[in-house]
Coordinates of all heavy atoms in Angstrom, one line a residue:
M8 N 98.2 100.0 89.2 CA 99.5 99.7 89.6 C 100.2 98.8 88.6 O 99.8 97.7 88.4 CB 99.6 99.0 90.9 CG 99.5 99.9 92.1 SD 99.8 99.1 93.7 CE 98.9 97.6 93.6
T9 N 101.2 99.4 87.9 CA 102.0 98.5 87.0 C 103.2 98.0 87.8 O 103.7 98.7 88.6 CB 102.4 99.3 85.8 OG1 103.2 100.5 86.2 CG2 101.2 99.8 85.0
R10 N 103.6 96.9 87.4 CA 104.8 96.3 88.0 C 106.1 97.1 87.8 O 106.2 97.6 86.7 CB 105.1 94.9 87.5 CG 104.0 93.9 87.9 CD 104.4 92.5 87.3 NE 105.9 92.4 87.2 CZ 106.5 91.4 86.6 NH1 105.8 90.4 86.1 NH2 107.8 91.4 86.5
N11 N 106.9 97.2 88.8 CA 108.2 97.8 88.5 C 109.3 97.2 89.4 O 110.4 97.7 89.5 CB 108.1 99.3 88.8 CG 107.8 99.7 90.3 OD1 107.7 98.8 91.1 ND2 107.6 100.9 90.5
L12 N 109.1 96.0 89.9 CA 110.1 95.2 90.6 C 110.4 93.9 89.9 O 109.5 93.2 89.6 CB 109.6 94.9 92.1 CG 109.4 96.0 93.0 CD1 108.9 95.5 94.3 CD2 110.7 96.8 93.2
G13 N 111.7 93.6 89.8 CA 112.1 92.4 89.2 C 112.2 91.3 90.2 O 112.1 91.5 91.4
Q14 N 112.5 90.1 89.8 CA 112.6 88.9 90.6 C 113.6 89.0 91.7 O 113.3 88.7 92.9 CB 112.8 87.7 89.8 CG 112.6 86.4 90.5 CD 111.2 86.1 90.9 OE1 110.3 86.6 90.4 NE2 111.0 85.3 91.9
I15 N 114.8 89.5 91.4 CA 115.9 89.6 92.4 C 115.5 90.6 93.4 O 115.8 90.4 94.6 CB 117.2 89.9 91.7 CG1 117.7 88.7 90.8 CG2 118.3 90.2 92.7 CD1 118.9 89.0 90.0
D16 N 115.0 91.7 93.0 CA 114.6 92.8 93.9 C 113.5 92.3 94.8 O 113.5 92.6 96.0 CB 114.0 94.0 93.1 CG 114.0 95.3 93.9 OD1 114.3 95.3 95.1 OD2 113.7 96.3 93.3
R17 N 112.5 91.5 94.3 CA 111.5 91.0 95.2 C 112.0 90.0 96.2 O 111.6 90.1 97.4 CB 110.4 90.3 94.3 CG 109.6 91.2 93.5 CD 108.6 90.5 92.6 NE 107.7 89.8 93.4 CZ 106.9 88.8 93.1 NH1 107.1 88.2 91.9 NH2 106.1 88.2 93.9
I18 N 112.9 89.1 95.8 CA 113.5 88.2 96.8 C 114.3 88.9 97.8 O 114.2 88.6 99.0 CB 114.4 87.2 96.0 CG1 113.6 86.3 95.1 CG2 115.3 86.4 97.0 CD1 114.4 85.4 94.1
A19 N 115.1 89.9 97.5 CA 115.8 90.7 98.4 C 114.9 91.4 99.4 O 115.2 91.5 100.6 CB 116.7 91.7 97.7
R20 N 113.8 91.9 98.9 CA 112.9 92.7 99.8 C 112.2 91.7 100.8 O 112.0 92.0 101.9 CB 111.8 93.4 99.0 CG 112.4 94.6 98.3 CD 111.3 95.2 97.3 NE 111.9 96.3 96.6 CZ 111.6 97.6 96.9 NH1 110.8 97.9 97.9 NH2 112.2 98.6 96.3
I21 N 111.8 90.5 100.3 CA 111.2 89.5 101.2 C 112.2 89.1 102.3 O 111.8 89.0 103.5 CB 110.7 88.3 100.4 CG1 109.5 88.7 99.5 CG2 110.3 87.1 101.3 CD1 109.0 87.7 98.5
A22 N 113.4 88.8 101.9 CA 114.4 88.4 102.8 C 114.7 89.5 103.9 O 114.7 89.2 105.1 CB 115.7 88.0 102.1
L23 N 115.0 90.7 103.4 CA 115.3 91.8 104.3 C 114.1 92.2 105.2 O 114.2 92.3 106.4 CB 115.7 93.0 103.5 CG 116.1 94.3 104.3 CD1 117.3 94.0 105.2 CD2 116.3 95.5 103.4
G24 N 112.9 92.2 104.6 CA 111.7 92.6 105.4 C 111.4 91.5 106.4 O 111.1 91.8 107.5
G25 N 111.5 90.2 106.0 CA 111.3 89.1 107.0 C 112.3 89.2 108.1 O 111.9 88.9 109.3
L26 N 113.5 89.4 107.8 CA 114.6 89.5 108.8 C 114.3 90.7 109.8 O 114.4 90.5 111.0 CB 116.0 89.7 108.2 CG 117.1 89.8 109.2 CD1 117.3 88.5 110.0 CD2 118.4 90.1 108.4
M27 N 113.9 91.8 109.2 CA 113.6 93.0 110.1 C 112.4 92.7 111.0 O 112.4 93.0 112.2 CB 113.2 94.2 109.2 CG 114.4 94.8 108.5 SD 114.0 96.1 107.4 CE 113.4 97.4 108.5
I28 N 111.4 92.0 110.5 CA 110.2 91.7 111.3 C 110.6 90.7 112.4 O 110.2 90.8 113.5 CB 109.1 91.1 110.4 CG1 108.5 92.2 109.5 CG2 107.9 90.5 111.2 CD1 107.6 91.7 108.4
L29 N 111.4 89.7 112.0 CA 111.8 88.7 113.0 C 112.6 89.3 114.1 O 112.4 89.0 115.3 CB 112.6 87.6 112.3 CG 113.2 86.5 113.2 CD1 112.1 85.7 113.8 CD2 114.1 85.6 112.4
L30 N 113.6 90.2 113.8 CA 114.4 90.8 114.8 C 113.6 91.8 115.7 O 113.8 91.9 116.9 CB 115.5 91.6 114.1 CG 116.6 90.7 113.5 CD1 117.6 91.6 112.7 CD2 117.3 89.8 114.5
A31 N 112.6 92.4 115.1 CA 111.7 93.3 115.9 C 110.8 92.5 116.8 O 110.6 92.8 118.0 CB 110.8 94.1 115.0
A32 N 110.4 91.3 116.4 CA 109.5 90.4 117.2 C 110.4 89.9 118.4 O 109.8 89.7 119.5 CB 109.0 89.3 116.4
M33 N 111.7 89.7 118.2 CA 112.6 89.2 119.2 C 113.0 90.3 120.1 O 113.7 90.0 121.1 CB 113.8 88.5 118.6 CG 113.4 87.2 117.9 SD 114.7 86.4 116.9 CE 116.2 86.8 117.8
G34 N 112.8 91.5 119.8 CA 113.2 92.7 120.6 C 114.6 93.1 120.4 O 115.1 93.9 121.1
T35 N 115.2 92.7 119.3 CA 116.6 93.0 119.0 C 116.8 94.4 118.5 O 117.7 95.1 118.9 CB 117.2 92.0 118.0 OG1 117.0 90.7 118.6 CG2 118.7 92.2 117.8
I36 N 115.9 94.8 117.5 CA 116.1 96.1 116.9 C 115.0 97.1 117.2 O 115.0 98.2 116.6 CB 116.3 95.9 115.4 CG1 115.0 95.3 114.7 CG2 117.5 95.2 115.0 CD1 115.1 95.3 113.2
G37 N 114.1 96.7 118.0 CA 113.0 97.7 118.4 C 111.9 97.7 117.5 O 111.8 96.9 116.5
I38 N 111.0 98.6 117.7 CA 109.7 98.7 117.0 C 109.9 99.1 115.5 O 109.1 98.8 114.7 CB 108.7 99.6 117.7 CG1 107.3 99.4 117.2 CG2 109.1 101.0 117.5 CD1 106.3 99.5 118.2
W39 N 111.0 99.7 115.2 CA 111.3 100.2 113.8 C 111.4 99.0 112.9 O 111.3 99.1 111.7 CB 112.6 101.0 113.8 CG 112.4 102.4 114.4 CD1 112.8 102.7 115.7 CD2 111.6 103.5 113.9 NE1 112.4 104.0 115.9 CE2 111.7 104.5 114.9 CE3 111.0 103.7 112.7 CZ2 111.0 105.7 114.7 CZ3 110.4 104.9 112.5 CH2 110.4 105.9 113.5
G40 N 111.8 97.8 113.4 CA 111.9 96.6 112.6 C 110.6 96.2 111.9 O 110.6 95.5 110.9
Y41 N 109.5 96.6 112.5 CA 108.2 96.3 111.8 C 108.0 97.1 110.5 O 107.0 96.8 109.8 CB 107.0 96.5 112.8 CG 107.0 95.5 113.9 CD1 107.4 95.8 115.2 CD2 106.8 94.2 113.6 CE1 107.4 94.9 116.2 CE2 106.8 93.2 114.6 CZ 107.1 93.6 115.9 OH 107.1 92.6 116.9
L42 N 108.8 98.0 110.2 CA 108.8 98.6 108.9 C 109.1 97.6 107.8 O 108.9 97.9 106.6 CB 109.7 99.8 108.8 CG 109.3 101.0 109.6 CD1 110.4 102.1 109.6 CD2 108.0 101.6 109.1
G43 N 109.6 96.5 108.2 CA 109.9 95.4 107.2 C 108.6 94.9 106.5 O 108.7 94.4 105.4
V44 N 107.5 95.2 107.1 CA 106.2 94.9 106.5 C 106.0 95.6 105.2 O 105.5 95.1 104.2 CB 105.0 95.2 107.4 CG1 103.7 95.1 106.7 CG2 105.1 94.4 108.7
I45 N 106.6 96.8 105.1 CA 106.6 97.6 103.8 C 107.3 96.9 102.7 O 106.9 96.8 101.6 CB 107.1 99.0 104.1 CG1 106.2 99.8 105.0 CG2 107.2 99.8 102.7 CD1 106.7 101.1 105.5
F46 N 108.5 96.4 103.1 CA 109.3 95.7 102.1 C 108.6 94.4 101.6 O 108.6 94.1 100.4 CB 110.7 95.3 102.7 CG 111.6 96.4 102.9 CD1 111.9 96.8 104.2 CD2 112.2 97.0 101.9 CE1 112.8 97.9 104.4 CE2 113.1 98.1 102.0 CZ 113.4 98.5 103.3
V47 N 108.0 93.7 102.5 CA 107.3 92.4 102.2 C 106.1 92.8 101.3 O 105.8 92.1 100.3 CB 106.9 91.6 103.4 CG1 106.1 90.4 103.0 CG2 108.2 91.2 104.1
G48 N 105.4 93.8 101.7 CA 104.2 94.3 100.9 C 104.5 94.7 99.5 O 103.9 94.3 98.5
T49 N 105.6 95.5 99.3 CA 106.0 95.9 98.0 C 106.4 94.7 97.2 O 106.2 94.7 96.0 CB 107.1 97.0 98.0 OG1 108.2 96.5 98.7 CG2 106.6 98.3 98.6
A50 N 107.1 93.8 97.8 CA 107.5 92.6 97.1 C 106.3 91.7 96.6 O 106.3 91.2 95.5 CB 108.4 91.7 97.9
F51 N 105.3 91.6 97.5 CA 104.1 90.9 97.2 C 103.4 91.5 96.0 O 102.9 90.7 95.1 CB 103.2 90.8 98.4 CG 101.9 90.1 98.2 CD1 101.9 88.7 98.1 CD2 100.7 90.8 98.1 CE1 100.7 88.0 97.9 CE2 99.5 90.1 97.8 CZ 99.5 88.7 97.8
F52 N 103.3 92.8 95.9 CA 102.6 93.4 94.8 C 103.4 93.8 93.6 O 103.0 94.3 92.6 CB 101.9 94.7 95.3 CG 100.8 94.5 96.3 CD1 100.9 94.8 97.6 CD2 99.6 94.0 95.8 CE1 99.8 94.6 98.5 CE2 98.5 93.7 96.6 CZ 98.6 94.0 98.0
S53 N 104.7 93.5 93.7 CA 105.7 93.8 92.7 C 105.7 95.3 92.2 O 105.8 95.6 91.1 CB 105.5 92.9 91.4 OG 105.7 91.6 91.7
F54 N 105.4 96.1 93.2 CA 105.3 97.6 92.9 C 105.9 98.3 94.1 O 105.6 98.1 95.3 CB 103.8 97.9 92.8 CG 103.5 99.4 92.6 CD1 103.8 100.0 91.4 CD2 103.1 100.2 93.6 CE1 103.6 101.3 91.2 CE2 102.9 101.5 93.5 CZ 103.1 102.1 92.2
C55 N 106.7 99.3 93.7 CA 107.3 100.2 94.7 C 107.0 101.6 94.3 O 107.3 102.1 93.2 CB 108.8 100.0 94.8 SG 109.6 101.1 95.9
P56 N 106.2 102.4 95.2 CA 105.8 103.7 94.8 C 107.0 104.7 94.7 O 107.0 105.6 93.9 CB 104.9 104.2 96.0 CG 104.9 103.1 97.0 CD 105.6 101.9 96.4
I57 N 108.1 104.4 95.4 CA 109.3 105.3 95.3 C 110.0 105.1 94.0 O 110.4 106.0 93.3 CB 110.3 105.0 96.5 CG1 109.6 105.4 97.8 CG2 111.6 105.7 96.3 CD1 110.4 105.1 99.0
Y58 N 110.0 103.8 93.5 CA 110.5 103.6 92.2 C 109.7 104.3 91.1 O 110.3 104.9 90.2 CB 110.5 102.1 91.8 CG 111.7 101.2 92.3 CD1 112.5 101.7 93.4 CD2 111.9 100.0 91.8 CE1 113.5 100.9 93.8 CE2 113.0 99.2 92.2 CZ 113.8 99.7 93.3 OH 114.8 98.9 93.7
R59 N 108.4 104.3 91.3 CA 107.5 105.0 90.3 C 107.8 106.5 90.3 O 107.9 107.1 89.3 CB 106.1 104.7 90.6 CG 105.2 105.3 89.6 CD 103.7 105.0 89.9 NE 102.9 105.6 88.9 CZ 101.6 105.7 89.0 NH1 101.0 105.3 90.1 NH2 100.9 106.3 88.1
A60 N 108.0 107.1 91.5 CA 108.2 108.5 91.6 C 109.5 108.9 90.9 O 109.5 110.0 90.3 CB 108.3 108.9 93.1
F61 N 110.5 108.1 90.9 CA 111.8 108.4 90.3 C 111.9 107.8 88.9 O 112.9 107.9 88.2 CB 112.9 107.9 91.1 CG 113.1 108.8 92.4 CD1 112.7 108.3 93.6 CD2 113.6 110.0 92.3 CE1 112.9 109.1 94.7 CE2 113.8 110.8 93.4 CZ 113.4 110.3 94.6
G62 N 110.8 107.1 88.4 CA 110.9 106.5 87.1 C 111.8 105.3 86.9 O 112.3 105.0 85.9
L63 N 112.0 104.5 88.0 CA 112.9 103.4 88.0 C 112.1 102.1 87.8 O 110.9 102.0 88.2 CB 113.6 103.3 89.3 CG 114.5 104.5 89.7 CD1 115.1 104.3 91.1 CD2 115.6 104.6 88.7
K64 N 112.7 101.1 87.2 CA 112.2 99.7 87.1 C 113.3 98.8 87.3 O 114.4 99.0 86.7 CB 111.5 99.5 85.8 CG 110.3 100.3 85.6 CD 109.6 100.0 84.2 CE 108.3 100.8 84.1 NZ 107.7 100.5 82.9
S65 N 113.1 97.7 88.0 CA 114.2 96.7 88.1 C 113.8 95.4 87.4 O 114.5 94.4 87.6 CB 114.5 96.4 89.6 OG 113.3 95.8 90.2
C66 N 112.8 95.4 86.6 CA 112.4 94.3 85.8 C 112.6 94.6 84.4 O 112.5 95.7 83.9 CB 110.9 93.9 86.1 SG 109.7 95.1 85.8
Q67 N 112.8 93.5 83.6 CA 113.1 93.7 82.2 C 111.8 93.6 81.3 O 111.7 94.2 80.3 CB 114.1 92.7 81.7 CG 115.4 92.8 82.3 CD 116.4 91.7 82.0 OE1 116.0 90.8 81.3 NE2 117.6 91.8 82.4
D68 N 110.8 92.9 81.8 CA 109.6 92.6 81.0 C 108.4 93.5 81.4 O 107.3 93.2 81.1 CB 109.3 91.2 81.1 CG 108.9 90.7 82.5 OD1 109.3 91.5 83.5 OD2 108.3 89.7 82.7
C69 N 108.7 94.6 82.1 CA 107.6 95.5 82.5 C 107.7 96.9 81.9 O 108.8 97.3 81.5 CB 107.4 95.5 84.0 SG 108.8 96.1 84.9

């Protein structure tokens, strides 16, 4: 796996994913909110398989 996520993209994914998980745990948005784990996981590994499929990169040094 080569990196394809930049710093801003990673921060946004952690924030959005964390918010989705929190809202799901509180019962506000239902079980679908646990999909936020995917956002947090891709941010942790700095790799998004969808970006790779489309040949995208959001980082300058990779």
